[in-house]
Amino acid sequence: MYAVYFCGGKRPTARGGKILKAYFDNSATTMPCENAVRAMNNACLKEWGNPSSLHFKGLEASAEINRARKSAASLLGCEESEIYFSPSGTAANNLAVLGSVNEKNKNLRKIVTTAMEHPSVSKCMDALEERGFEVIRLKPDKNGVISPECFSEVIDEKTALVSVMAVNNETGSVLPFDEIKRIIRRKKSSALLHVDAVQAFGKIRVNASSADMITASAHKIHALKGSGLLYVKKGVKLKPCILGGGQEGNLFSGTQNVPAIAAFGAAIEEARDIESHLDYVNSLNFYLRQRLSSLDGVRFNSPENALGYILNISVAGVRSQVTVNALSEMGICISAGSACSKGHRSETLVSMGLDAERIDSAVRISLSRYNTKEEIDLLYDGLKTVIESVK
C-alpha cells in the first residue's frame, strides 16, 4: 500500500512542467487520498443540496455530514453531538480559545499556554492579554520539550483555560496533553483544557476524555482544505465568534462545506489504523536520521522522542530558503518551518534557545504514510548536492 504515493499512479506536474519527485511538506498540507477525492466528487455531483434544507436534496447533503461526524466521533471516542465542523483548524482554535473565557468572572483571569503554539492560538492569546487576562507562556527546553511539572507549577484555582498543542508543528515534539487534565483535577482547578491536535489527529491516539476541547484539520490527514473540527465536551459552553444561521450547533454559522466534510470523513476512515501507520512512518524517520547524520553540517532540532511524522534539521552555512529553493528545483518539497509563519523567524526554535544561525538554517521535513525510502534517498542526494555546492 505504501508504494502508491501519488493518487492515480501519476505524478503531478507543476506549472512550467516541473515534475514532483518527492513531497515532504505534509505538515503544511497533504495530498488528498483517493477515497477523499471520491467522497468530494460524490458530494459535488450528487449530494449538492443545502444541508439545512428540509427537502430530499438537503437531507442527502445532511446525511453526508452526519456520516463524517460519526467517523470523527468514533476516532476521538466521543458522542456525535460533541463534534462540530468548522471552516478550518484556525477557526476551530479561535473559537476554543476566545469562546471559552468569561470576562465577567473576575476570579478566573489566568490562562496557561506555551511559547510555541500555532499562530491561530498564540494571536488569540495576544488579544486576551490586551483584554486584561494574564497569559502564562511556558517555554520548552533546548530539546523542545515541556514537562508536566512545568504545567503543574502554574495551574491553580485562578486558571480559566489551558491551551496546548498535542504535537508541535515544527519539531514534532509531543506535549504532555494526557497528563494536563489530571493536573487540573489534582489542583482542584475549574480550568478548561483545549488541545490543538491539528498535527496529531489521525497520527497518534487522541481521546476526548483527555480534554474539554480538541481541534483538528482535514487537509493535514489527506482530505481537503476548507474543513476542520472542534470537539466540545458536553456541558462546556462557548460563545460563538461567527454569527448567522446557527449551523453546527450555532458555533460555526454558515452553510457547511459538504464536499470538504465528506472528504474529511473518508480520510478519517483511512487513518484508523493509526499504530500501523505510525510504525511505518517511524521506520522512515529512523532511516532518514541515519542517512542525514552522515552529512557534514546537519544538526537535528527535533528531539529523539518527537513524533515520527516531523523532523526539523539545520544545515550549517545554508539559509533555510536557499535549501528549500534548491530542492524545489530538483522536484523535492520541504519547508522552511511552519507554512503559517512565512517570512518570520520560528517562534518555536527561538523559544528553545537556539542561536540565530541555527534557526536561520533550519528546515522541516514532514512525512506521511505514503512516503518511501526511495524518496528519502532522493532527499539525501539533494541535500548532499546543496551542501557541496555551498562549500
Side-chain angles (χ1 to χ4, degrees), residues 26 44 168 188 227 236 278 306 345 362 389:
N26 291 283
C44 286
N168 183 262
K188 297 181 180 179
S227 180
V236 173
L278 182 56
R345 184 169 282 167
S389 297

mmCIF file of all heavy atoms in Angstrom, residues 26 44 168 188 227 236 278 306 345 362 389:
data_model
loop_
_atom_site.group_PDB
_atom_site.id
_atom_site.type_symbol
_atom_site.label_atom_id
_atom_site.label_comp_id
_atom_site.label_asym_id
_atom_site.label_seq_id
_atom_site.Cartn_x
_atom_site.Cartn_y
_atom_site.Cartn_z
ATOM 1 N N ASN A 26 4.229 17.548 4.466
ATOM 2 C CA ASN A 26 2.911 17.068 4.865
ATOM 3 C C ASN A 26 2.349 17.757 6.107
ATOM 4 O O ASN A 26 1.153 17.664 6.362
ATOM 5 C CB ASN A 26 2.974 15.558 5.090
ATOM 6 C CG ASN A 26 3.184 14.798 3.794
ATOM 7 O OD1 ASN A 26 2.261 14.624 3.008
ATOM 8 N ND2 ASN A 26 4.415 14.364 3.562
ATOM 9 N N CYS A 44 -20.195 16.689 -4.633
ATOM 10 C CA CYS A 44 -20.356 17.771 -5.616
ATOM 11 C C CYS A 44 -21.383 17.414 -6.687
ATOM 12 O O CYS A 44 -22.172 18.263 -7.119
ATOM 13 C CB CYS A 44 -19.016 18.076 -6.286
ATOM 14 S SG CYS A 44 -17.853 18.966 -5.250
ATOM 15 N N ASN A 168 3.956 19.583 18.326
ATOM 16 C CA ASN A 168 4.440 20.831 17.743
ATOM 17 C C ASN A 168 4.594 20.699 16.239
ATOM 18 O O ASN A 168 5.141 19.714 15.743
ATOM 19 C CB ASN A 168 5.773 21.239 18.370
ATOM 20 C CG ASN A 168 6.270 22.565 17.832
ATOM 21 O OD1 ASN A 168 7.103 22.606 16.938
ATOM 22 N ND2 ASN A 168 5.736 23.656 18.357
ATOM 23 N N LYS A 188 -7.517 20.927 41.767
ATOM 24 C CA LYS A 188 -8.896 21.339 42.041
ATOM 25 C C LYS A 188 -9.228 22.656 41.327
ATOM 26 O O LYS A 188 -9.904 23.539 41.868
ATOM 27 C CB LYS A 188 -9.140 21.455 43.541
ATOM 28 C CG LYS A 188 -8.996 20.126 44.273
ATOM 29 C CD LYS A 188 -9.258 20.248 45.757
ATOM 30 C CE LYS A 188 -9.108 18.887 46.442
ATOM 31 N NZ LYS A 188 -9.336 18.976 47.900
ATOM 32 N N SER A 227 -12.043 22.535 5.735
ATOM 33 C CA SER A 227 -12.827 21.881 6.783
ATOM 34 C C SER A 227 -11.929 21.551 7.973
ATOM 35 O O SER A 227 -10.799 21.096 7.811
ATOM 36 C CB SER A 227 -13.479 20.597 6.271
ATOM 37 O OG SER A 227 -14.231 19.979 7.305
ATOM 38 N N VAL A 236 -19.811 22.050 28.210
ATOM 39 C CA VAL A 236 -18.942 23.209 28.029
ATOM 40 C C VAL A 236 -19.650 24.222 27.136
ATOM 41 O O VAL A 236 -20.102 23.892 26.041
ATOM 42 C CB VAL A 236 -17.585 22.798 27.401
ATOM 43 C CG1 VAL A 236 -16.762 24.032 27.052
ATOM 44 C CG2 VAL A 236 -16.817 21.890 28.357
ATOM 45 N N LEU A 278 1.876 4.642 12.062
ATOM 46 C CA LEU A 278 2.936 5.280 12.836
ATOM 47 C C LEU A 278 4.195 4.417 12.847
ATOM 48 O O LEU A 278 5.316 4.937 12.741
ATOM 49 C CB LEU A 278 2.467 5.543 14.263
ATOM 50 C CG LEU A 278 3.463 6.265 15.182
ATOM 51 C CD1 LEU A 278 3.906 7.603 14.581
ATOM 52 C CD2 LEU A 278 2.862 6.477 16.567
ATOM 53 N N ALA A 306 10.442 12.741 19.358
ATOM 54 C CA ALA A 306 9.441 13.510 18.605
ATOM 55 C C ALA A 306 8.564 12.570 17.789
ATOM 56 O O ALA A 306 8.944 11.432 17.490
ATOM 57 C CB ALA A 306 10.134 14.511 17.679
ATOM 58 N N ARG A 345 10.959 34.538 11.689
ATOM 59 C CA ARG A 345 11.816 33.562 12.373
ATOM 60 C C ARG A 345 10.949 32.683 13.271
ATOM 61 O O ARG A 345 10.030 33.154 13.930
ATOM 62 C CB ARG A 345 12.880 34.305 13.189
ATOM 63 C CG ARG A 345 13.890 33.397 13.867
ATOM 64 C CD ARG A 345 15.046 34.213 14.424
ATOM 65 N NE ARG A 345 15.973 34.589 13.364
ATOM 66 C CZ ARG A 345 16.938 35.495 13.507
ATOM 67 N NH1 ARG A 345 17.066 36.136 14.659
ATOM 68 N NH2 ARG A 345 17.741 35.771 12.503
ATOM 69 N N ALA A 362 17.381 26.394 9.507
ATOM 70 C CA ALA A 362 16.516 25.267 9.843
ATOM 71 C C ALA A 362 15.481 25.005 8.749
ATOM 72 O O ALA A 362 14.929 25.930 8.157
ATOM 73 C CB ALA A 362 15.801 25.521 11.166
ATOM 74 N N SER A 389 27.522 22.241 -2.996
ATOM 75 C CA SER A 389 27.507 23.437 -3.843
ATOM 76 C C SER A 389 27.884 24.675 -3.054
ATOM 77 O O SER A 389 28.629 25.539 -3.520
ATOM 78 C CB SER A 389 26.121 23.632 -4.462
ATOM 79 O OG SER A 389 25.791 22.556 -5.316
#
